[in-house]
Amino acid sequence: MDFHVSLAGRGDLSVRIYRQLLDAVLDGRLRSGERLPPTRELARRLGVSRNTVAVAYERLTAEGVLVGQVGAGTFVCAEPLGRTRTRSRTAPAGSGVRPRHLWRSLPAPPSEPATEPVYDFRVGVPDARLFPLETWRRLVTRELRPALVRSTGYGDPSGHAGLREAIARHIGISRSVRASAADVLVTQGAQQALDLIGRVLIEPGCRVAVEEPGYPPARLLFRSLGARVTGVPVDAEGLDVSALPDSARLVYVTPSHQFPLGTPMSLGRRAALLEWAERRGAVVIEDDYDSEFRFEDRPLEPLQSLDRSGHVVHVGSFSKTMLPMLRLGFLIAPASLQPALRRARQLTDWHGELPTQAALAGFIGEGLLGRHVRKATREYAVRRERILATLRRDFRDWLEPIPSAAGLHLCAHLTSDAGVDMDRVTAYASQAGIALQDLAPYYGEAPARSGLVLGYGAIPAERIEPGLRRLAESFRAAADSQD
C-alpha cells in the first residue's frame, strides 16, 4: 500500500522513518497483517538510499512490530505487539477557532441505537425487508456497465435526464403535479431540497414560518441559514393561515400528511394559504414526504397543482417509498426560481450519483415503484390498523389517537386526565426494548402538548401487540412511580 512518510525537519532519516512507521502501527493506521512497500520502492519514493529504509525496517522487525516473509515481503506483525496502543490520531483541538454561535446552540444529530430495538416504533423508517433489493441491484448493475458510461465528466446539476422525465410522469399521474422533465431538479432527499431552497431564498434575518408542531430538521436548517423561524399553530384543518406573520417570506408546510400529527390540510386552508402567499409575495414549500402510503379517503389536490401564480415549491422524497440510505428526492419550483436552484445545486455537490439516479429511472419506468408502493401499502395498512385497534382498546385512559389517513406513523395526544409524565413513560419503554418518540420535541416553542408518535414502518406486524403491551406496562409503571 502507499504510505506517506515525511522527511521534513532535522535528524537521522532512518530514525524518522522508523518513528513514523511505529506511530502508524500504534495508532491503527497500519493494521496487523498489512504489507509494507518493499524497501527499494519506498526508498525510490522518498528519494533516499535503500539502506536508509532497510535500517528502519530492521529495527521494527527486531522489536516485533514487523515481520519479514521470504519471497512475500514485510508485514505488520499479526501477533499482539505486547504493548497498549495509547497513541491516537485525531485532528488538532483547534482551541482558538469556533463555529458561529448558532451552530453551538443547535442540538446534536440523533444517534442510531447501539442495538436494534426489540419493538421498533421509530418514525420515518420504512421496512427494508419489503424493498425488492435484488431487482434494484440488477438495475444499478446495468447502469454501471462500461458501455453505458459514456463520459467521465460532470453531469447536469438538475440530475439524470431520464429520471427527471420519469419523476415528472410519475407525480403527474399519482399526485396531479403539473411539471415537465425540465421543471424537475433531482436532490439527495428532501433535506437537500430544503437546503437548496433556503440558500436561494433566505437572507439573514428573513422570517420563515413553520408548522407548530412540525418537522425539526426543517426548522433547524432554516435557522442555520440565518432565518428567524416562527412556529404557526396547526389544528384539525392544518396550518392556521390567519396566524401567519405578515413579514414571513417563506412558509414550510406538510399539507398532505401533517408532520407529526398526521392531519391533512383542508381544501379551504389550502386556498387561503395560496391567496396569502400571492398577496404577500411569499414562497410556500410543500413537503409531500410520505403521501404515497394512503389508507383512507381520496387525497386532496397538492398545493402545487392548485397554484396558479407560481408561489409553491413542491418537494418529494423516495426515502420512505424506497430506502433512506439511497438519498433520492426532488423538487419542482416555479420557472423564475429554477436557474438559481440549479446553480445552487452545482455549487453544493453538482448532481449527485448518476448511476443510482439512472437505476431509479428504470425502476419507475418499468412500473416497479408503483408495484412496490402498492405491496408496501397493504402491509402498512395491517400494521396501522393493529396499532389503532390496540390504542383504542387498551390505552383509552392515557392516549387519544389523532385521525390520519396516510403515512408511516400515527400520533396520539396524552389525555387530560392521564396522570403520567411522558418522560417517565419513554424511559420505562426504552428499558423494555421499545423505540418510540415523544411528541413534545416536535414543538419549537413552548408550551408543547404531550403525546406519542408511533411509527409502523420498521416493526413487523406480529411484534406490534406484544410491543404495545410492554408500552402499557410502561404507562402503569410511570403512573405508579408518581403516586
Side-chain angles (χ1 to χ4, degrees), residues 165-408:
E165 179 66 41
I167 288 174
R169 183 173 180 275
H170 170 69
I171 60 174
I173 294 173
S174 64
R175 299 292 289 126
S176 297
V177 170
R178 297 178 295 115
S180 67
D183 299 315
V184 177
L185 191 152
V186 179
T187 65
Q188 299 205 66
Q191 194 69 13
Q192 187 188 44
L194 300 182
D195 182 60
L196 295 175
I197 297 166
R199 287 170 183 268
V200 166
L201 294 175
I202 293 175
E203 295 180 353
C206 173
R207 178 74 65 185
V208 174
V210 299
E211 296 169 320
E212 180 78 343
Y215 184 52
R219 183 188 305 122
L220 296 174
L221 172 64
F222 298 142
R223 280 184 57 200
S224 77
L225 294 173
R228 293 180 296 160
V229 179
T230 299
V232 179
V234 173
D235 59 24
E237 289 191 72
L239 184 83
D240 184 358
V241 178
S242 66
L244 282 168
D246 291 342
S247 59
R249 288 296 171 262
L250 190 65
V251 183
Y252 171 79
V253 291
T254 53
S256 295
H257 183 233
Q258 201 279 329
F259 189 89
L261 300 181
T263 52
M265 183 183 290
S266 69
L267 187 59
R269 288 281 177 87
R270 294 176 191 231
L273 178 58
L274 292 174
E275 181 184 349
W276 182 92
E278 183 175 3
R279 188 170 66 251
R280 298 288 178 184
V283 172
V284 176
I285 303 175
E286 175 183 32
D287 189 343
D288 207 35
Y289 67 103
D290 68 357
S291 62
E292 294 89 349
F293 302 121
R294 190 148 204 94
F295 314 109
E296 300 172 8
D297 305 328
R298 182 177 178 274
L300 294 172
E301 296 296 309
L303 287 171
Q304 195 272 352
S305 67
L306 298 172
D307 179 27
R308 292 294 178 268
S309 57
H311 287 266
V312 174
V313 181
H314 184 89
V315 172
S317 171
F318 297 97
S319 294
K320 308 298 184 295
T321 52
M322 297 174 67
L323 296 174
M325 64 182 292
L326 298 178
R327 307 312 304 139
L328 288 164
F330 62 92
L331 66 82
I332 294 168
S336 59
L337 296 179
Q338 290 174 14
L341 288 165
R342 283 195 293 270
R343 185 65 171 144
R345 180 68 201 272
Q346 182 193 26
L347 293 177
T348 50
D349 72 340
W350 208 295
H351 54 60
E353 191 178 340
L354 294 178
T356 303
Q357 293 180 20
L360 178 55
F363 195 69
I364 297 173
E366 295 178 24
L368 299 171
L369 176 62
R371 185 186 308 169
H372 169 62
V373 168
R374 289 190 294 272
K375 175 185 174 182
T377 300
R378 289 193 295 269
E379 174 61 29
Y380 294 145
V382 172
R383 302 178 190 183
R384 172 180 174 275
E385 188 53 42
R386 288 192 184 184
I387 293 176
L388 276 174
T390 306
L391 291 180
R392 290 165 179 161
R393 184 186 68 231
D394 300 337
F395 290 79
R396 290 192 304 271
D397 295 336
W398 301 308
L399 295 173
E400 180 183 355
I402 301 172
S404 173
L408 284 176

Side-chain angles (χ1 to χ4, degrees), residues 3-34:
F3 182 76
H4 177 74
V5 175
S6 174
L7 299 182
R10 299 179 180 179
D12 184 272
L13 293 177
S14 292
V15 173
R16 277 183 273 169
I17 294 170
Y18 158 81
R19 287 176 177 168
Q20 290 183 60
L21 290 173
L22 179 61
D23 284 346
V25 173
L26 292 178
D27 65 29
R29 283 175 292 150
L30 287 176
R31 296 172 294 182
S32 296
E34 283 197 292

Side-chain angles (χ1 to χ4, degrees), residues 107-130:
S111 57
E112 288 295 313
T115 59
E116 285 296 315
V118 181
Y119 307 104
D120 193 350
F121 292 101
R122 285 177 296 169
V123 177
V125 182
D127 194 338
R129 294 165 300 181
L130 299 178

